[in-house]
Amino acid sequence: MSTATAHDTAHDHHGPPAGLSRWLFTTNHKDIGTLYLWFSFTMLLIGGAMAMVIRAELFQPGMQIVDPNFFNQMTTLHGLIMVFGAIMPAFVGLANWLIPMMIGAPDMALPRMNNWSFWILPFAGTLLLSTLFMEGGGPNFGWTFYAPLSTTYGPESTDFFIFAVHLLGMSSIMGAINIIATILNMRAPGMTLMKMPLFVWTWLITAFLLIAAMPVLAGAVTMMLADRHFGTSFFNAAGGGDPILFQHVFWFFGHPEVYIMILPAFGIISQIVPTFSRKKLFGYSSMVYATASIAFLSFIVWAHHMYTVGMPVAGELFFMYATILISVPTGVKVFNWVATMWRGALTFEVPMLWALAFIFLFTLGGFSGLMLGVTPADTQYHDTYFVVAHFHYVLVAGALFSIIAAVYYWLPKWTGHMYDQTLAKIHFWWSVISVNILFFPMHFLGLAGMPRRIPDYAIQFAEFNQLASIGGFAFGLSQLLFLYILIKTIRGGEKATDKVWEKPEGLEWTVASPAPYHTFATPPQVK
Amino acid sequence: MRNLSVNKHLLLALLGLGNVVYAGSVFAEYKYNMTQGVTPISGEIYDLHMMVFWIVTAIGIGVFSVMIYSIINHRKSKGVKPAEFHESTEVEVLWTIIPFVILIFIAFPATKTLLALEDSSDADVTIKVTGYQWKWHYEYLDDDAKGLSFFSNLDAESNEARQLGANQDLSQVDHYLLNVDNPIVLPTNKKVRFLVTSNDVIHSWWVPALGVKQDAIPGYINDTWTYLKKPGVYRGQCTELCGKDHGFMPIVVLAKPENEYKEWLAQKQAEKKAAEEEAKGVWSLEKLMTKGEQVYNTSCAGCHQANGKGLPGMFPAIAGSKIALGPIADHINTVMNGKSGTAMQAFGAQLSDADLAAVITYERNAFGNNTGDAVQPSDIKSAR
Amino acid sequence: MSAKEGDYYLPEPSGWPLVGSVGLFTTLGGFASYLHGASPMFMMLGIGILIYMMFGWFGTVIHENQHGLYNKQVDKSFRWGMVWFIFSEVLFFSAFFGALFYVRMFAVPWLGGADNNVYTHSILWPEFNAVWPLLTLPNSEGFDVASGVMDTWGLPFVNTIILLSSGATVTWAHWGLLKGNRNQLTMGLFLTVALGFTFVGLQAYEYVHAYHELNLKLSSGIYGSTFFMLTGFHGMHVTIGAIMLTVMLFRSMKGHFTAEHHFAFEAASWYWHFVDVVWLGLFIFVYWL
Ligand code: HEA
Ligand code: HEA
Ligand code: CUA
Ligand SMILES: [Cu+2]
């Protein structure tokens, strides 16, 4: 991987050290950003390969390929790896690359800690993946690891999983602290908060969510560890505890977590749409307020994942109202993007295509989210493929698409090369069609009654599962095309101009392409 | 690259919208949509679901049409000069308030349905539903059915067909994966209350046609209810990940008119008597083995596997097990009382004396464990 | 790298973070293996690596600082870093406090039949009597049943006074530093550290008492679980804080810190105040109410 990431540094006056130690010891935000992005892509392939196992087993009814326990391990690790390994590190990687450049800083505020935040990840990933090779198998209780399935009944490897989660949490918290310190302390003169690009704003708020949510997850796994080995009874009714306590603690983290995976996406889309509409972003300040409201609301809706656990009615009502309320600020975002395009001069370069697909498909996923938020209806949707459809629309067609859009938008700035636009367009159309073949039928499956996390199903679900699997294989292959495009661009290609696009806004477009190793050693003046 | 053809954009635009329209057009059919069910609550839920669905469809059409219009008409290639505006307090207030009002419209019927859903008071029949790895247990709590309880396992035919590499023609299997050996029987036109709990991990008892999904939490009892208007067979599944065989613990509800329900109760109680009677005598080894194999396959094979080899690291093998080859008393103790803190349950409360005697005998003689021991129901009785 | 005001300070590449990652991996992987019967060697090795890393890393930072490489901006970054780190710790504690509140307000009353859980009590735990602190358990099999509850106005109250005074002494030390009175600084720090370790000692004494005389253990049901989890986690933080302050004590004796430049001292004292405030929460909700 290291050969692929070595980009053109000819213009640097203070270049990077050569060799492996550059990557191991680096304190440079661009190097660390690159490391994060490659780590994330690797995890996407691993988590994706697990999804392929899932889709292959579900290709037809009956058990053909894996045993049910291994299937559960695949589901669990697929969810965990995609969330903690692919999506979150990708956003942190983008933050590393872009935030210093966008606010006119030379680097992140705490560069050494930045290196640590990254280098914890491969170790955490190793710890997590090594569980697959242990006796009794890896974690098999879903990415939500509900007690007591994960405590009393968890396999031995659960303890390795617990510590992997601790490590992932430490990495995220340190990353988030760094981002906040950078944004609050390293802005160039004149870069007031309300002049910051939206990507920076959304990340500021995301970092806050991370610092507030990740420690709670650490608390949850710590209690799990104590229940497993030190005789406590947090999640055990016999000693006065409650398995549902686990779910409350988990989702207090878990719901903000899903917004951690979408707020930076909103930021990316808010950068891309104005560029290709040749028009300023509509409603900048309302975007900021909407982001903040979503973040606030995200802390008071967690129990919408628990409508069927038997909460008191008052609780169910409260969480229903709070949940559906999130549609309002999210709607403001969607409307603002549409209004930005309205009467703009649109062109449809690759990043814009992905951004448009994001807006359509994320909104679709948001709609199914709203449906899930309605408590009585959720008693029918809950833990069916309808939920699986919902969250893959917001996570794959949402978060992942926004990351791909971001890569296509800033890649020329990072590498100094323009990518092969024809291939990139093929990648786009192939992905956007297959992703719908993959996930849309899951709505029907869920409504017709197919539960999630099952390795085999009744025969009336056969057709749609087959369709989804075909879509899944196609979507997987198209990500290999993405890999090819990336490597080809890093290796060479048409030189990119400094601005890259016709009329992009932001400080990152004022520096050379590729961006020099150290940007803004003396701060730029922002008017 | 800036000259991408028009129809491609149209395609993209239509795809999002197309999805929604497609969904609408096929929604009439049961297979694609939520079931309307056979109870008042399931009907209300269905209506709520459709209402919210049409609302979001309408909003979707609105938002996407504006976007598509923009994509088609406001493009640079058509020589459009970009407008200058970038904010407007009026529209922003408007598109904050309108969605809010829409949400209030949704909240009213949702609240009403939820309150009805949660009101399980004044039930005519009460049944305790307990989840086990991986089967359901039903216990009838009313006076006329006192003491009636049984397990409901995945039907043997499905169970065989679902094994890895079984390669059977699944269309020949009766209700593959949705059939059980002992269905739960409910009377129609009665308010039935379920007390749902679990013996080990969290399960969830879901029958779509009843509009009931309730998590089974170990150590706590949740209650929920139903009111069936039509006799019939209604199928569902466990919907909370509960370990290896989560996908294989279906639910079958048999709704019968009251008189047939009463007959069924009487018949069940008679069967129970007969079984107790039978357990009294001395059983031959052969009889114990036949019965034992059957009990083993429904109750034990899920973990220890049909071949007695277990799953290394998770479930120990019975073949060659120290306990199965050791003193009978330890073996009886292990099976009756389980091992607390592990998946090994206490089967003493689950199985009858005869079943326990048979399955222990089976374990001591099958899989090459040839001890020759025959454990009698009376041995179990005295061990209790 | 320059240290002029208005210019940025960028550290050179550093191997310490990687050492730290290896240390964490070895410690935690070793701990997990140890829980499953492996020897604790790996874990010990990991802890050794972590301690080595801390000496190295903090040593580098102190060295750079002493050589005036840090300017106002770097100082401010450190401050933000510390503030948000403490914020994350607050949330870590709140997970355990949340568990305590949930158990006291919901789980235990439900097991006793409150709200919509009449059947939970009447069918599953008919014998169970829901009073907090929980001395009878729904099912005591496999648990150690405690015979008494922790006293409030004895040792815990003394500990409250100790911790509160240590908050005062550390502030007094800070005043000394600001005035340039080195004696007051070292004296104040010494008192703080002494009070801190006294607190830890008394806490340990209290644990012994709980274990041996009250049979109150981690495994005494949810009362013991929450009690030891919260106070233990807090005690661990007090220990870390006291170690941090000890380092500050040694550094101030070596002549480090000036009235303008003493972020490390301030960070340690913020941390100390945070630990203090958490204790007040513990005293109120764990011991008192
Ligand atoms: C990026 C991640 C992400 C995002 C952004 C969302 C967004 C939302 N989610 Fe989703 N959700 C997940 C990830 C995400 N979710 C995951 C991973 C799970 C499953 C976890 C598991 O169990 O494994 C889940 C599960 C989940 C559930 C639990 C389902 C169940 O298990 O039974 C619910 C229930 O309320 C829910 C609701 C919502 C809502 C209301 C939103 C809202 O934020 C959506 C708001 C957006 C819109 C509504 C569209 C745009 C708005 C307009 C155009 C304005 C006008 C609209 C109206 C007025 C209607 N989600
Ligand atoms: C965060 C992001 C994320 C992403 C990006 C994805 C991506 C995908 N997901 Fe995932 N998914 C989750 C998050 C995500 N998922 C979560 C949180 C769960 C819940 C887990 C749980 O229940 O606990 C879940 C659960 C889940 C399920 C339900 C499992 C179950 O309930 O049993 C399914 C089933 O189809 C599925 C499928 C897929 C597919 C096909 C993709 C595809 O998009 C993946 C595409 C990518 C690749 C395929 C990689 C590239 C290609 C290769 C490596 C080469 C191999 C290619 C071929 C052989 C063709 N996912
Ligand atoms: Cu029982 Cu899933
Ligand atoms: Cu949520």
Side-chain angles (χ1 to χ4, degrees):
Chain A
M1 205 116 285
S2 59
T3 50
T5 40
H7 49 234
D8 186 352
T9 50
H11 304 287
D12 294 356
H13 46 100
H14 184 103
L20 186 64
S21 63
R22 164 178 179 188
W23 301 104
L24 293 179
F25 305 145
T26 181
T27 49
N28 180 287
H29 72 103
K30 299 192 183 78
D31 282 353
I32 294 175
T34 306
L35 285 170
Y36 264 112
L37 289 170
W38 277 115
F39 174 79
S40 141
F41 201 95
T42 313
M43 287 295 152
L44 178 73
L45 294 187
I46 297 178
M50 292 174 175
M52 295 298 106
V53 174
I54 296 176
R55 283 318 326 165
E57 179 57 58
L58 293 177
F59 189 74
Q60 54 183 35
M63 302 294 301
Q64 289 89 20
I65 305 170
V66 296
D67 70 73
N69 191 44
F70 189 72
F71 182 91
N72 287 346
Q73 294 172 39
M74 287 293 109
T75 299
T76 306
L77 285 170
H78 162 69
L80 287 168
I81 286 181
M82 287 302 198
V83 168
F84 292 104
I87 303 293
M88 290 170 67
F91 281 132
V92 183
L94 291 170
N96 257 295
W97 253 104
L98 298 170
I99 288 177
M101 292 208 288
M102 284 178 161
I103 61 174
D107 208 302
M108 298 291 280
L110 303 158
R112 264 190 297 250
M113 192 172 84
N114 201 16
N115 174 303
W116 204 20
S117 314
F118 171 75
W119 274 107
I120 286 178
L121 281 182
F123 290 94
T126 309
L127 204 57
L128 186 59
L129 285 172
S130 69
T131 57
L132 273 178
F133 306 100
M134 294 178 187
E135 204 189 37
N140 53 8
F141 27 64
W143 86 285
T144 51
F145 51 102
Y146 282 3
L149 186 61
S150 61
T151 53
T152 317
Y153 298 84
E156 290 201 353
S157 60
T158 308
D159 303 307
F160 291 85
F161 153 83
I162 287 174
F163 290 131
V165 172
H166 274 122
L167 287 180
L168 292 165
M170 282 180 66
S171 157
S172 295
I173 291 170
M174 286 196 280
I177 288 176
N178 216 335
I179 287 168
I180 296 192
T182 306
I183 296 174
L184 293 183
N185 195 30
M186 306 286 280
R187 277 171 287 128
M191 176 63 79
T192 58
L193 285 177
M194 289 311 267
K195 275 194 193 146
M196 294 193 310
L198 260 171
F199 180 70
V200 181
W201 253 117
T202 51
W203 242 117
L204 179 63
I205 293 169
T206 304
F208 168 76
L209 289 183
L210 275 168
I211 297 181
M214 296 307 289
V216 178
L217 175 68
V221 291
T222 306
M223 286 188 264
M224 250 176 85
L225 185 74
D227 266 16
R228 283 172 60 83
H229 294 287
F230 309 129
T232 57
S233 44
F234 289 105
F235 311 132
N236 181 355
D242 187 351
I244 299 307
L245 168 60
F246 175 86
Q247 298 186 20
H248 282 290
V249 181
F250 179 85
W251 288 115
F252 184 86
F253 145 80
H255 189 82
E257 168 68 20
V258 308
Y259 289 96
I260 288 166
M261 294 187 282
I262 207 68
L263 294 185
F266 291 164
I268 291 165
I269 302 306
S270 304
Q271 303 295 129
I272 293 177
V273 170
T275 299
F276 299 102
S277 304
R278 288 160 188 76
K279 196 161 149 274
K280 263 180 92 165
L281 181 69
F282 187 87
Y284 173 91
S285 47
S286 71
M287 283 298 216
V288 174
Y289 299 135
T291 313
S293 326
I294 294 173
F296 169 73
L297 286 173
S298 77
F299 281 107
I300 55 167
V301 300
W302 75 87
H304 65 215
H305 297 271
M306 304 162 53
Y307 284 147
T308 60
V309 302
M311 259 186 296
V313 190
E316 295 195 323
L317 286 174
F318 171 80
F319 285 110
M320 171 168 77
Y321 300 147
T323 298
I324 59 179
L325 202 56
I326 295 198
S327 308
V328 175
T330 316
V332 167
K333 304 218 140 219
V334 174
F335 299 141
N336 280 343
W337 292 323
V338 176
T340 306
M341 288 169 15
W342 186 255
R343 291 183 48 215
L346 303 181
T347 52
F348 302 93
E349 286 87 340
V350 179
M352 183 64 163
L353 291 177
W354 287 94
L356 289 175
F358 172 96
I359 301 177
F360 278 113
L361 300 179
F362 168 79
T363 305
L364 216 70
F367 287 155
S368 58
L370 178 75
M371 295 171 77
L372 291 166
V374 178
T375 313
D378 185 66
T379 59
Q380 292 280 29
Y381 308 132
H382 176 66
D383 267 342
T384 67
Y385 263 76
F386 191 79
V387 179
V388 178
H390 157 66
F391 68 72
H392 281 97
Y393 266 87
V394 284
L395 280 171
V396 179
L400 184 61
F401 272 29
S402 81
I403 292 165
I404 299 177
V407 170
Y408 280 125
Y409 188 51
W410 282 291
L411 190 62
K413 175 58 61 189
W414 300 339
T415 62
H417 302 141
M418 203 44 168
Y419 41 82
D420 184 329
Q421 313 237 7
T422 319
L423 279 185
K425 273 178 191 155
I426 295 175
H427 174 214
F428 170 74
W429 287 109
W430 191 351
S431 294
V432 87
I433 292 168
S434 58
V435 88
N436 282 289
I437 300 174
L438 166 57
F439 295 121
F440 206 79
M442 292 187 185
H443 291 112
F444 302 136
L445 286 172
L447 291 174
M450 178 169 161
R452 58 191 282 210
R453 294 164 166 171
I454 57 174
D456 192 6
Y457 47 82
I459 37 185
Q460 68 260 36
F461 305 127
E463 285 91 355
F464 281 131
N465 267 302
Q466 199 152 52
L467 195 61
S469 289
I470 291 169
F473 302 143
F475 186 73
L477 279 179
S478 82
Q479 303 327 308
L480 296 182
L481 176 60
F482 185 37
L483 179 64
Y484 173 74
I485 296 171
L486 290 178
I487 294 177
K488 194 169 158 209
T489 314
I490 292 166
R491 290 265 177 91
E494 184 196 331
K495 282 229 47 59
T497 60
D498 290 356
K499 274 188 111 111
V500 184
W501 313 109
E502 192 181 314
K503 218 182 146 221
E505 264 201 64
L507 289 174
E508 75 268 32
W509 308 108
T510 63
V511 303
S513 296
Y517 196 57
H518 294 294
T519 28
F520 306 121
T522 43
Q525 186 69 39
V526 180
K527 293 162 270 97
Chain B
M1 85 203 190
R2 306 211 160 125
N3 301 327
L4 199 72
S5 73
V6 182
N7 14 10
K8 278 193 182 166
H9 295 301
L10 260 177
L11 209 105
L12 162 68
L14 284 176
L15 203 80
L17 189 69
N19 276 334
V20 177
V21 174
Y22 173 56
S25 65
V26 293
F27 251 43
E29 274 180 69
Y30 163 67
K31 206 175 152 187
Y32 303 87
N33 198 1
M34 184 188 279
T35 170
Q36 282 182 270
V38 291
T39 64
I41 287 290
S42 69
E44 272 188 52
I45 292 175
Y46 175 83
D47 293 340
L48 196 58
H49 156 72
M50 288 316 285
M51 182 189 92
V52 183
F53 170 77
W54 287 120
I55 288 177
V56 295
T57 305
I59 298 175
I61 291 175
V63 176
F64 294 155
S65 316
V66 177
M67 239 175 107
I68 292 166
Y69 181 87
S70 201
I71 288 172
I72 295 172
N73 294 303
H74 303 147
R75 40 173 74 211
K76 193 184 168 202
S77 55
K78 292 204 169 163
V80 180
K81 287 269 156 312
E84 286 291 320
F85 69 90
H86 59 84
E87 63 196 347
S88 156
T89 313
E90 295 87 66
V91 286
E92 292 190 44
V93 168
L94 206 66
W95 69 39
T96 310
I97 290 180
I98 292 176
F100 187 76
V101 173
I102 296 175
L103 292 180
I104 294 178
F105 265 98
I106 296 176
F108 268 106
T111 306
K112 194 178 129 276
T113 306
L114 184 64
L115 293 177
L117 186 78
E118 293 288 341
D119 178 16
S120 62
S121 57
D122 302 323
D124 306 308
V125 175
T126 304
I127 299 172
K128 182 164 159 244
V129 178
T130 311
Y132 282 76
Q133 280 180 325
W134 293 278
K135 59 200 165 209
W136 293 100
H137 180 256
Y138 301 111
E139 184 179 352
Y140 288 67
L141 296 181
D142 300 299
D143 289 336
D144 58 343
K146 202 90 198 165
L148 174 57
S149 72
F150 53 89
F151 280 94
S152 180
N153 290 285
L154 177 66
D155 170 65
E157 204 185 345
S158 288
N159 196 27
E160 204 170 300
R162 64 109 175 165
Q163 301 301 328
L164 187 57
N167 263 333
Q168 287 196 17
D169 180 1
L170 300 174
S171 60
Q172 298 305 311
V173 180
D174 183 26
H175 289 94
Y176 178 59
L177 293 189
L178 293 179
N179 214 7
V180 298
D181 53 0
N182 298 308
I184 174 176
V185 178
L186 302 178
T188 51
N189 294 316
K190 292 267 179 205
K191 185 162 180 177
V192 180
R193 171 166 51 198
F194 302 104
L195 305 181
V196 185
T197 184
S198 163
N199 178 60
D200 35 51
V201 301
I202 302 178
H203 303 263
S204 188
W205 198 80
W206 181 36
V207 183
L210 272 53
V212 169
K213 182 183 283 151
Q214 189 67 64
D215 288 5
I217 320 283
Y220 290 80
I221 288 185
N222 280 321
D223 62 347
T224 182
W225 64 279
T226 193
Y227 189 96
L228 282 152
K229 283 185 290 195
K230 270 198 309 209
V233 186
Y234 308 109
R235 294 171 200 277
Q237 280 175 273
C238 175
T239 48
E240 182 62 62
L241 179 59
C242 51
K244 181 170 76 66
D245 286 350
H246 157 63
F248 309 103
M249 49 183 293
I251 297 152
V252 178
V253 171
L254 221 64
K256 298 187 182 219
E258 185 163 18
N259 53 342
E260 287 179 36
Y261 169 72
K262 287 258 145 67
E263 276 169 34
W264 175 81
L265 281 182
Q267 184 205 333
K268 270 280 173 194
Q269 264 146 340
E271 275 172 24
K272 202 176 147 213
K273 274 251 166 53
E276 277 166 15
E277 218 42 55
E278 198 186 1
K280 281 187 181 143
V282 172
W283 290 37
S284 69
L285 183 60
E286 201 179 319
K287 188 170 165 197
L288 284 167
M289 287 296 283
T290 324
K291 175 95 178 168
E293 178 168 14
Q294 186 201 331
V295 176
Y296 183 87
N297 284 337
T298 41
S299 294
C300 322
C303 297
H304 298 290
Q305 305 300 302
N307 58 11
K309 296 243 167 66
L311 292 176
M314 288 183 76
F315 308 117
I318 300 298
S321 143
K322 276 208 192 78
I323 297 207
L325 296 173
I328 296 186
D330 288 354
H331 195 169
I332 294 182
N333 180 40
T334 306
V335 179
M336 281 181 61
N337 302 320
K339 290 263 178 88
S340 68
T342 75
M344 181 63 201
Q345 307 153 10
F347 285 93
Q350 300 182 28
L351 300 175
S352 71
D353 292 356
D355 286 350
L356 284 164
V359 76
I360 294 170
T361 307
Y362 179 72
E363 287 192 336
R364 299 183 75 80
N365 293 289
F367 325 123
N369 282 358
N370 313 312
T371 59
D373 301 333
V375 181
Q376 292 298 334
S378 54
D379 298 339
I380 305 292
K381 192 162 194 154
S382 50
R384 278 193 195 269
Chain C
M1 295 266 141
S2 84
K4 277 191 299 160
E5 289 297 320
D7 239 357
Y8 294 113
Y9 171 69
L10 289 178
E12 292 297 323
S14 165
W16 293 117
L18 192 65
V19 175
S21 304
V22 173
L24 284 172
F25 179 77
T26 321
T27 309
L28 295 179
F31 188 21
S33 322
Y34 170 63
L35 289 173
H36 294 288
S39 105
M41 274 308 297
F42 263 115
M43 183 172 77
M44 296 303 178
L45 177 69
I47 293 173
I49 299 177
L50 281 178
I51 292 175
Y52 171 66
M53 179 275 288
M54 280 195 240
F55 271 97
W57 192 331
F58 286 125
T60 312
V61 173
I62 293 170
H63 178 84
E64 288 170 355
N65 191 4
Q66 293 300 103
H67 287 75
L69 290 179
Y70 294 167
N71 55 25
K72 277 250 165 56
Q73 190 171 32
V74 177
D75 192 65
K76 209 165 162 198
S77 290
F78 284 164
R79 278 161 200 277
W80 277 125
M82 192 66 195
V83 166
W84 289 103
F85 168 65
I86 291 179
F87 181 73
S88 80
E89 291 268 49
V90 171
L91 268 294
F92 203 160
F93 270 101
S94 73
F96 300 127
F97 271 109
L100 176 72
F101 295 148
Y102 178 86
V103 165
R104 293 186 57 172
M105 291 192 322
F106 301 110
V108 169
W110 285 346
L111 289 167
D115 299 344
N116 54 355
N117 275 272
V118 188
Y119 293 105
T120 300
H121 184 248
S122 66
I123 295 184
L124 297 179
W125 320 107
E127 313 282 296
F128 177 63
N129 194 6
V131 276
W132 189 268
L134 205 60
L135 291 181
T136 58
L137 300 181
N139 176 0
S140 49
E141 194 192 324
F143 293 106
D144 294 291
V145 180
S147 62
V149 304
M150 294 313 295
D151 165 36
T152 309
W153 299 108
L155 268 192
F157 185 66
V158 174
N159 258 345
T160 309
I161 306 283
I162 290 179
L163 219 47
L164 286 179
S165 345
S166 76
T169 52
V170 80
T171 307
W172 186 65
H174 193 196
W175 288 342
L177 176 55
L178 291 179
K179 279 188 307 209
N181 183 343
R182 309 286 307 183
N183 258 342
Q184 186 175 333
L185 169 66
T186 42
M187 196 56 212
L189 270 174
F190 176 77
L191 283 175
T192 314
V193 170
L195 288 168
F197 283 115
T198 312
F199 173 92
V200 177
L202 288 177
Q203 189 81 357
Y205 176 79
E206 197 193 20
Y207 278 12
V208 174
H209 167 73
Y211 259 74
H212 292 294
E213 274 135 68
L214 300 178
N215 200 28
L216 178 63
K217 303 179 177 173
L218 268 169
S219 49
S220 301
I222 195 66
Y223 173 55
S225 307
T226 48
F227 172 78
F228 283 108
M229 191 61 128
L230 275 161
T231 56
F233 201 58
H234 174 261
M236 197 179 90
H237 279 76
V238 175
T239 312
I240 295 173
I243 293 175
M244 278 163 48
L245 286 170
T246 311
V247 174
M248 297 310 136
L249 176 61
F250 287 135
R251 284 187 64 190
S252 61
M253 293 197 307
K254 271 177 85 178
H256 290 190
F257 307 133
T258 63
E260 299 78 38
H261 265 298
H262 53 264
F263 165 70
F265 173 87
E266 274 185 87
S269 68
W270 291 347
Y271 195 76
W272 195 250
H273 289 307
F274 150 70
V275 167
D276 227 4
V277 172
V278 172
W279 174 260
L280 287 182
L282 284 179
F283 183 69
I284 294 171
F285 295 110
V286 176
Y287 291 98
W288 187 2
L289 296 182

